[in-house]
Amino acid sequence: MPLMEWDESMAVHVDELDDQHRQLIALINEAYDAVRRHDEHKRAELVDKMARYARLHFATEEGYLMRYGYPEIEAHKALHAKFNADVDEFRRKMLEKTNLSQIFVFLSRWLITHIMDEDRKYSMFMPKEESHAEE
Ligand SMILES: [Fe+2]
């Protein structure tokens, strides 16, 4: 059973970005499975995978925000940069001392809150041809 599933409440109405958000949720579920199996040696691998995919996703997302003139782009980019920096710091200093479930809570909570609260703010700035919004 996956921990969470993507649903319409998370939609930003840009197919490429919604697909990437689904992929991030799939990685969160994979990490959750490892937590449940107490699979601690998957720890570094899962953190790397999530961090790498998040970086790729942020770059794609920032491209859309720039292209369509999202007015809050600088603040949004700063949130991404802060997350990347926190993850780097975490890997350098804490990865060995922290168990998988603590790492999991940190990464998954940040990503889901970010998608639900911050990413949805830009969806209304996306153009109609990229947007499937009903409003
Ligand atoms: Fe974002």
Side-chain angles (χ1 to χ4, degrees), residues 12-14 17 61 64-66 68-70 122-131:
V12 298
H13 305 295
V14 175
L17 298 179
E61 192 174 84
Y64 277 94
L65 302 188
M66 186 136 54
Y68 299 113
Y70 179 51
Y122 66 65
S123 72
M124 71 181 82
F125 292 88
M126 295 295 121
K128 285 282 171 279
E129 58 272 22
E130 309 260 17
S131 169

Side-chain angles (χ1 to χ4, degrees), residues 21 57-58 61-62 65 76-77 79-80 110-111 114-115 118-120 122:
H21 285 157
H57 164 62
F58 294 158
E61 192 174 84
E62 288 168 15
L65 302 188
H76 199 103
K77 281 168 81 170
L79 293 173
H80 291 168
W110 190 94
L111 286 167
H114 182 80
I115 293 170
E118 299 301 327
D119 289 348
R120 292 183 65 235
Y122 66 65

Side-chain angles (χ1 to χ4, degrees):
M1 255 290 270
L3 174 69
M4 62 179 81
E5 282 179 83
W6 185 91
D7 66 54
E8 275 300 313
S9 71
M10 299 179 194
V12 298
H13 305 295
V14 175
D15 289 346
E16 186 178 15
L17 298 179
D18 284 333
D19 284 347
Q20 289 186 344
H21 285 157
R22 284 191 194 90
Q23 191 58 41
L24 279 168
I25 288 166
L27 288 173
I28 288 170
N29 284 325
E30 198 184 320
Y32 180 64
D33 258 7
V35 169
R36 285 200 314 179
R37 293 192 313 265
H38 305 287
D39 192 352
E40 284 291 328
H41 58 259
K42 270 206 135 188
R43 184 173 50 179
E45 183 194 319
L46 284 166
V47 172
D48 281 356
K49 223 167 159 180
M50 285 172 87
R52 230 177 311 129
Y53 196 80
R55 248 172 234 270
L56 170 97
H57 164 62
F58 294 158
T60 309
E61 192 174 84
E62 288 168 15
Y64 277 94
L65 302 188
M66 186 136 54
R67 194 150 9 127
Y68 299 113
Y70 179 51
E72 303 297 322
I73 185 169
E74 289 310 321
H76 199 103
K77 281 168 81 170
L79 293 173
H80 291 168
K82 172 86 167 69
F83 177 81
N84 289 339
D86 285 352
V87 170
D88 285 347
E89 176 84 350
F90 189 79
R91 282 146 111 190
R92 261 189 301 121
K93 290 196 176 156
M94 287 170 280
L95 190 56
E96 299 313 316
K97 297 181 218 123
T98 317
N99 69 38
L100 183 59
S101 68
Q102 291 168 294
I103 297 169
F104 168 77
V105 168
F106 165 76
L107 291 174
S108 59
R109 193 174 284 167
W110 190 94
L111 286 167
I112 293 304
T113 311
H114 182 80
I115 293 170
M116 298 292 287
D117 296 346
E118 299 301 327
D119 289 348
R120 292 183 65 235
K121 290 184 194 164
Y122 66 65
S123 72
M124 71 181 82
F125 292 88
M126 295 295 121
K128 285 282 171 279
E129 58 272 22
E130 309 260 17
S131 169
H132 301 156
E134 286 98 290
E135 56 282 279

